[in-house]
């Protein structure tokens, strides 16, 4: 008995230190809320197909590249995000989206990191191919929802040690919106309305904060957040395209390897959340481990 | 009476394609809810493909024609041939075709049929007329880019370097600009918008002999897919109604900065609503607006223009669609087919949105996106007539017991949808006179006195 306890303790604590568990809880709660109270246009079958395909793809890829173990968490996060954002009437598209999201992590890589956030890449591909759509306005503007998502999101990013990129993005994005409002002479209710969007929060808290696709160093991440917000606003007000932050992130993601070269930091490991400072005590990841980590 | 400032408008953007399934709904059309149910309503039709946009604007202005004026922000200076006069009748046809509808089912004789085969009749409820934004203050203007007389309208296109000048111009020309409008004008000017100003030319109107004001149409190219509503909210006393019909190639249109909500549909409601369908629909809509905290945009109809089921009105002909700005169809092919009766539209998807807006809940202009969603939607409500035969059989006895329970469910559905008093509904349905179903608790039946 006692032996069991001592054996299990480190495993349990390391499990709960993984920020992805909090992300899964947050995203599942958001999805349930959306289904029950907002009547999102997503069918139960779409959810099953999306989640199922993601796990199958993850499993197949795990076997294909000989990863030491099958880890369903990252695939679950990507597929939950897809359920929250992607709308389609075709289950084949839902399956394809999951396949692209998980497959891209194993295929599009640079220096042992994936370049694109899997959900972001998938959404852009599906939008560009006119296979589905995103309804950015469907979340409504209820203030309490804002807080709700913000609190859950904060929890996630704090645990994931990537609060900096979220806060930097929101600061730049909202700041630039306010500057535009001031230039136009509009009331502040307009930028407030523009940011009171659940989709924006999901983007900021669950997508741009992905530690596997953001720069390793804090200064790099802040620069990255600035680039993404600037690009997003340009697309929003220059090209009048909806879902501009998604396009901003996808356009800026290829710059991450360059930023990492200019401002190197500690590579992120899910089991050892760090902010990327070398001054912060971290457990250096063995090179074998880093190369093998695809999640 | 002061001139009325009617600020409305639309632009466009975006694109996906798709083919959706069409769910069959057999039945007969019975009636519809009219757009005239709503006060202060305007209608806008936006036909858009790629960035090319044609906007038809109509309103329910009822005052003296000389008091009418309309100020619409537009993205570009419009040449005379980009301005056109539309046909109110076509707009009305479009409104009727897409109106919320009432459907009738008739229960079959339970003694003769194992499975009820309902006959369905549909009534379409017409919804209200297009909303108009009204300004109340006078103003004076700046640079008159162009000036045309089109039909019964005198049209000016104004540009300005600063809002003060524009406001002055409008004031000096007899437009009443509401307090607070200059801020909105300033914002539009900064966004490089021009102003389309229309007044009625009384001489032309008399010559043409039209009693009502016909819809104005403008055609332009712009990546913006939006409808400027802000000017209309500046001075509005209370909320305004706006019906937006979009004609696109790909699929359903929705707002990206406000929640687009499907109205509740396919509910069975009491039979007496047939004579009060207008009231029913208006109250249902009001209740839905409140449920969405007055911030929702409501989907009333989304359908491929090729067909309808049940039809509140026939689909619009290719010619009618063309008059509403559908420029992407090749009419010659349809004529060649030699089907003069109702040639079918090949590639037009209609979305009908209904919004009740004011400045507090709609601080920003409406911004739209076209989705690849081609699934059909119609605001449809069902009247289910019971079988009234006198034949007796065990199934009929059971059926008659169920009918009263069904009536009660319908009463509750009606109360829930409209907020009407449940007691009054039951009274109107005359539920008390119906044979009671045995709704006592099990213990009441056990120890009945």
């Amino acid at each position: 008995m006692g032996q069991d306890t001592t054996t299990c303790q480190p495993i349990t604590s390391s499990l709960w230190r993984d920020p992805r568990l909090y992300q899964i809880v947050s995203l599942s709660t958001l999805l349930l809320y959306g289904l029950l109270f907002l009547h999102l246009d997503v069918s139960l079958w779409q959810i099953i197909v999306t989640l199922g395909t993601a796990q199958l793809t993850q499993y197949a890829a795990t076997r294909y590249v000989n990863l030491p173990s099958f880890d369903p968490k990252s695939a679950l996060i990507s597929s939950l995000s897809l359920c929250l954002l992607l709308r389609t009437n075709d289950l084949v598209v839902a399956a394809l989206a999951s396949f692209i999201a998980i497959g891209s992590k194993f295929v599009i890589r640079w220096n042992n990191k994936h370049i694109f956030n899997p959900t972001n890449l998938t959404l852009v591909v599906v939008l560009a191919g006119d296979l589905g759509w995103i309804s950015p306005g469907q979340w409504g503007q209820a203030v309490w929802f804002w807080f709700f998502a913000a609190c859950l999101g904060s929890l996630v990013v704090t645990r994931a040690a990537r609060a900096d990129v979220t806060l930097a993005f929101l600061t730049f994005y909202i700041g630039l919106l306010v500057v535009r409002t001031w230039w136009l002479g509009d009331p502040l209710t307009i930028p407030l309305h523009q940011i009171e969007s659940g989709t924006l929060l999901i983007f900021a808290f669950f997508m741009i904060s992905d530690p596997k696709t953001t720069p390793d160093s804090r200064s790099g991440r802040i620069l990255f957040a600035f680039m993404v917000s600037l690009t997003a606003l340009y697309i929003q007000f220059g090209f009048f395209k909806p879902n501009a932050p998604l396009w901003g992130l996808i356009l800026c993601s290829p710059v991450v390897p360059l930023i990492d070269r200019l401002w190197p930091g500690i590579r992120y490991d899910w089991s050892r959340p760090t902010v990327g400072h070398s001054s912060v005590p971290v457990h250096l990841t063995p090179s074998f481990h880093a190369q093998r980590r695809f999640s | 009476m002061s001139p009325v400032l009617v600020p409305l408008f639309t632009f466009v953007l975006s694109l996906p394609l798709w083919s959706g399934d069409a769910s069959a709904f057999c039945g007969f059309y019975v009636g519809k809810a009219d757009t005239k149910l709503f006060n202060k309503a305007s209608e806008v039709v936006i036909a858009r493909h790629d960035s090319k946009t044609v906007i038809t604007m109509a309103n329910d202005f009822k005052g003296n024609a000389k008091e009418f004026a309309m100020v619409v922000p537009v993205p570009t200076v419009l040449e005379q041939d980009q301005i056109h006069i539309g046909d109110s009748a076509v707009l009305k046809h479009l409104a009727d075709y897409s109106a919320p509808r009432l459907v009738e089912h008739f229960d079959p004789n339970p003694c003769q049929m194992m499975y009820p085969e309902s006959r369905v009749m549909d009534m379409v409820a017409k919804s209200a007329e297009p909303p108009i934004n009204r300004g109340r203050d006078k103003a004076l203007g700046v640079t008159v880019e162009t000036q045309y007389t089109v039909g019964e309208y005198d049209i000016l296109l104004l540009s300005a370097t600063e809002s003060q000048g524009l406001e002055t111009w409008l004031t000096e020309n007899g437009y009443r600009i509401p307090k607070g409008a200059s801020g909105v004008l300033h914002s539009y000017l900064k966004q490089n918008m021009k102003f389309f100003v229309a007044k009625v030319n009384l001489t032309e109107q008399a010559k043409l002999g039209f009693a009502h004001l016909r819809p104005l149409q403008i055609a332009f190219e712009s990546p913006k897919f939006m409808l400027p509503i802000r000017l209309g909210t500046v001075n509005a006393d209370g909320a305004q109604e706006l019906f937006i019909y979009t004609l696109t190639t790909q699929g359903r249109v929705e707002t990206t900065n406000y929640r687009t909500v499907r109205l509740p549909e396919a509910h069975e409601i009491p039979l007496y609503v047939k004579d009060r369908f207008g009231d029913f629909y208006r109250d249902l809509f009001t209740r839905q607006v409140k449920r969405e905290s007055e911030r929702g945009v409501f989907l009333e109809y989304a359908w491929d223009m090729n067909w309808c089921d049940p039809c509140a009105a026939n689909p619009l002909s290719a010619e009618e669609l063309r008059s509403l700005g559908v420029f992407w169809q090749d009419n010659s092919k349809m004529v060649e087919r030699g089907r003069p009766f109702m040639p079918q539209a090949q590639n037009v998807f209609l979305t009908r949105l209904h919004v009740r807006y004011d400045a507090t809940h709609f601080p920003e202009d409406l911004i739209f996106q076209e989705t690849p969603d081609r699934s059909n939607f119609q605001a449809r409500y069902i009247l289910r007539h019971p079988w009234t035969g006198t034949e007796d059989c065990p199934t009929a006895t059971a059926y008659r017991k169920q009918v009263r329970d069904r009536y009660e469910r319908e009463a509750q559905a009606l109360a829930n949808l409209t907020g009407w008093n449940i007691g009054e509904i039951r009274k109107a349905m005359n539920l008390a006179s119906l044979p009671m179903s045995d709704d006592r608790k099990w213990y009441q039946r056990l120890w009945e006195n």
Side-chain angles (χ1 to χ4, degrees):
Chain A
M1 193 77 170
Q3 221 173 8
D4 283 346
T5 312
T6 44
T7 315
C8 291
Q9 193 118 25
I11 295 172
T12 314
S13 67
S14 117
L15 185 75
W16 285 104
R17 221 171 19 191
D18 189 335
R20 288 175 297 177
L21 282 176
Y22 294 92
Q23 291 194 346
I24 290 166
V25 171
S26 306
L27 290 169
S28 306
T29 312
L30 283 176
L31 184 58
L32 268 180
Y33 171 79
L35 288 172
L36 294 176
F37 298 101
L38 296 173
H39 309 291
L40 298 186
D41 272 347
V42 55
S43 68
L44 201 57
W45 279 114
Q46 188 184 333
I47 294 172
I48 291 167
V49 167
T50 305
L51 300 184
T53 310
Q55 293 306 325
L56 283 176
T57 312
Q58 176 76 26
Y59 181 75
T62 303
R63 297 292 297 269
Y64 185 74
V65 299
N66 285 325
L67 283 184
S69 64
F70 167 67
D71 184 352
K73 292 193 283 291
S74 288
L76 186 56
I77 290 169
S78 298
S79 47
L80 281 170
S81 303
L82 286 177
C83 291
L84 279 165
L85 295 176
L86 177 63
R87 298 289 162 262
T88 176
N89 291 332
D90 195 341
L91 291 179
V92 175
V93 172
L96 181 71
S98 267
F99 178 76
I100 294 173
I102 309 305
S104 73
K105 291 195 299 181
F106 293 88
V107 176
I108 309 174
R109 302 178 65 83
W110 177 265
N111 198 18
N112 289 318
K113 275 173 85 171
H114 20 104
I115 295 175
F116 299 108
N117 171 270
T119 316
N120 184 215
L121 177 71
T122 307
L123 291 172
V124 166
V125 168
V126 170
L127 287 180
D130 285 339
L131 298 171
W133 70 99
I134 295 171
S135 297
Q138 77 187 141
W139 293 92
Q141 283 85 27
V143 173
W144 69 268
F145 176 68
W146 209 104
F147 281 116
F148 179 64
C151 293
L152 288 177
S154 297
L155 181 69
V156 170
V157 289
T158 309
R159 292 280 176 166
R162 284 295 189 265
D164 49 11
V165 71
T166 296
L167 294 176
F169 169 76
L170 286 175
T171 306
F172 290 132
Y173 187 79
I174 296 170
L176 289 168
L177 275 180
V178 170
V179 168
R180 178 178 180 272
T181 303
W182 170 78
W183 176 69
L184 291 176
D186 280 339
L188 275 175
T189 47
I190 289 186
L192 279 175
H193 171 76
Q194 286 165 337
I195 60 169
E196 279 174 9
S197 143
T199 307
L200 176 70
L201 290 177
I202 289 171
F203 173 83
F205 285 101
F206 298 99
M207 209 177 291
I208 195 177
S209 58
D210 178 3
K212 304 300 284 185
T213 52
T214 46
D216 293 330
S217 66
R218 174 162 284 175
S219 43
R221 287 195 294 275
I222 290 170
L223 173 68
F224 182 65
F226 180 68
M227 289 169 63
V228 171
S229 48
L230 208 59
T231 314
L233 288 167
Y234 185 68
I235 289 167
Q236 188 171 340
F237 297 113
F239 292 94
F240 307 100
K241 275 186 88 67
N243 309 306
L246 292 178
W247 295 97
L249 181 59
I250 207 82
L251 289 173
C252 293
S253 289
V255 186
V256 172
L258 181 66
I259 296 176
D260 277 342
R261 174 167 291 212
L262 294 174
W263 290 276
I266 303 299
R267 183 62 42 85
Y268 190 82
D269 186 328
W270 283 115
S271 59
R272 299 171 181 80
T274 64
V275 293
H277 284 310
S278 53
S279 57
V280 175
V282 290
H283 304 284
L284 284 176
T285 313
S287 60
F288 169 79
H289 199 196
Q291 283 166 10
R292 286 293 185 185
R293 194 156 278 280
F294 280 77
S295 50
Chain B
M1 272 287 271
S2 58
V4 177
L5 195 66
V6 184
L8 250 202
F9 177 67
T10 315
F11 293 82
V12 194
L13 169 112
S14 208
L15 24 138
L17 281 176
W18 227 44
S19 65
D21 53 340
S23 61
F25 176 79
C26 59
F28 304 91
Y29 163 75
V30 173
K32 54 185 174 267
D34 204 321
T35 52
K36 319 260 183 218
L37 291 169
F38 300 91
N39 294 325
K40 290 189 285 186
S42 302
E43 284 171 301
V44 176
V45 185
I46 308 170
R48 180 174 166 89
H49 181 52
D50 294 333
S51 300
K52 301 182 186 74
T53 308
V54 177
I55 294 174
T56 306
M57 299 168 281
N59 60 78
D60 62 353
F61 180 72
K62 300 220 171 50
N64 190 333
K66 73 176 181 186
E67 311 285 353
F68 176 85
M70 185 169 174
V71 177
V72 179
V74 290
T76 55
V77 173
L78 303 171
E79 301 296 329
Q80 184 161 7
D81 52 7
Q82 289 176 274
I83 304 167
H84 193 253
I85 303 293
D87 184 348
S88 306
V90 177
L91 198 60
K92 181 168 187 314
H93 187 182
L94 184 68
D96 288 350
Y97 168 75
S98 57
R101 60 207 65 201
L102 195 56
V103 179
E104 287 183 326
H105 289 246
F106 291 87
D107 284 352
N109 181 342
C111 300
Q112 290 174 357
M113 311 188 76
M114 291 208 44
Y115 304 103
E117 247 176 47
S118 299
R119 217 157 51 97
V120 180
M121 299 177 73
D122 293 301
M123 297 180 68
V124 171
K126 299 174 198 166
S127 36
E129 296 245 300
I132 294 175
N133 299 334
R134 295 171 182 176
R136 301 228 175 211
D137 295 308
K138 292 189 178 173
L140 170 160
V142 178
T143 310
V144 180
E145 298 275 353
T146 50
Q147 188 167 353
Y148 317 110
T149 299
V150 181
E152 63 266 43
Y153 294 102
D154 280 334
I155 287 160
L156 302 171
L157 273 143
L158 308 176
S159 66
T161 47
E162 47 95 26
S163 58
Q164 288 297 336
L166 179 61
E167 195 177 0
T168 312
W169 189 95
L170 289 168
T171 308
E172 285 181 5
N173 282 270
Y175 295 88
R176 284 193 165 192
I177 297 295
K179 278 181 187 172
S182 65
V184 180
L185 293 176
H186 176 78
S187 178
Y188 283 131
L189 286 176
K190 283 276 189 184
Q191 293 173 70
N192 208 21
M193 305 274 271
K194 314 295 176 198
F195 288 88
F196 175 98
V197 181
K199 273 180 160 181
V200 176
N201 182 318
L202 295 171
T203 318
E204 290 296 320
Q205 193 199 21
K207 216 185 291 176
L208 291 164
F210 288 106
H212 64 280
L213 295 175
R214 293 177 296 167
L216 263 171
Q217 295 183 296
I218 52 176
F220 58 90
E221 277 189 66
S222 169
K224 293 179 182 179
F225 190 1
M226 52 86 79
L227 188 67
I229 58 169
R230 289 180 59 197
L231 270 177
T233 60
V234 172
N235 68 321
D237 44 350
Q240 298 179 73
E241 304 281 335
L242 175 62
F243 291 86
I244 305 150
Y245 308 86
T246 59
L247 300 166
T248 51
T249 54
Q250 195 175 356
R252 185 175 56 81
V253 168
E254 64 181 20
T255 42
T256 60
N257 55 345
Y258 296 97
R259 192 163 136 73
T260 304
V261 185
R262 286 179 170 82
L263 284 170
E265 52 102 26
H267 287 273
E268 289 186 3
I269 52 174
L271 299 174
Y272 81 94
V273 175
K274 185 172 182 177
D275 298 327
R276 299 183 55 190
F277 189 46
D279 294 339
F280 161 79
Y281 186 68
R282 198 178 47 225
D283 291 346
L284 175 144
F285 186 77
T286 302
R287 197 162 167 86
Q288 293 306 313
V289 166
K290 286 185 182 145
R291 280 190 181 163
E292 288 297 325
S293 311
E294 299 177 54
R295 290 172 184 273
V297 176
F298 296 89
L299 181 68
E300 288 186 331
Y301 195 75
W303 212 278
D304 189 304
M305 191 48 106
N306 278 317
W307 63 300
C308 43
D309 187 7
C311 294
N314 280 332
L316 273 67
S317 67
E319 196 183 334
E320 285 177 307
L321 288 172
R322 198 172 174 79
S323 78
L324 288 172
V326 175
F327 59 87
W328 56 87
Q329 293 209 98
D330 187 356
N331 274 6
S332 57
K333 280 182 189 167
M334 298 187 182
V335 176
E336 281 168 20
R337 281 183 194 166
R339 296 178 61 188
F341 178 69
M342 209 177 76
Q344 300 229 302
Q346 298 298 308
N347 191 19
V348 180
F349 195 91
L350 168 66
T351 308
R352 168 166 160 157
L353 300 168
H354 182 177
V355 56
R356 182 172 294 171
Y357 66 97
D358 60 26
T360 311
H361 302 96
F362 286 81
E364 212 186 356
D365 291 330
L366 302 176
I367 301 171
F368 304 104
Q369 71 172 355
E370 186 182 1
T371 73
D373 181 14
R374 291 184 78 90
S375 52
N376 295 323
F377 176 83
Q378 55 185 344
R380 172 174 65 95
Y381 308 94
I382 303 164
L383 303 180
R384 198 166 149 201
H385 292 272
W387 173 72
T388 51
T390 51
E391 210 171 322
D392 262 330
C393 65
T395 329
T397 312
Y399 168 82
R400 289 191 183 102
K401 279 185 182 169
Q402 288 164 9
V403 166
R404 196 190 184 285
D405 294 342
R406 189 174 89 200
Y407 280 162
E408 176 58 27
R409 284 198 304 276
E410 289 174 356
Q412 286 173 9
L414 180 61
N416 184 38
L417 288 171
T418 58
W420 291 355
N421 181 291
I422 185 79
E424 285 171 18
I425 292 171
R426 289 184 181 126
K427 204 171 161 187
M429 292 172 78
N430 214 4
L431 281 189
S433 71
L434 291 171
M436 290 290 289
S437 66
D438 194 357
D439 54 359
R440 292 170 300 166
K441 305 281 188 204
W442 61 272
Y443 45 83
Q444 290 171 328
R445 283 199 298 270
L446 176 66
W447 291 318
E448 65 185 325
N449 295 318

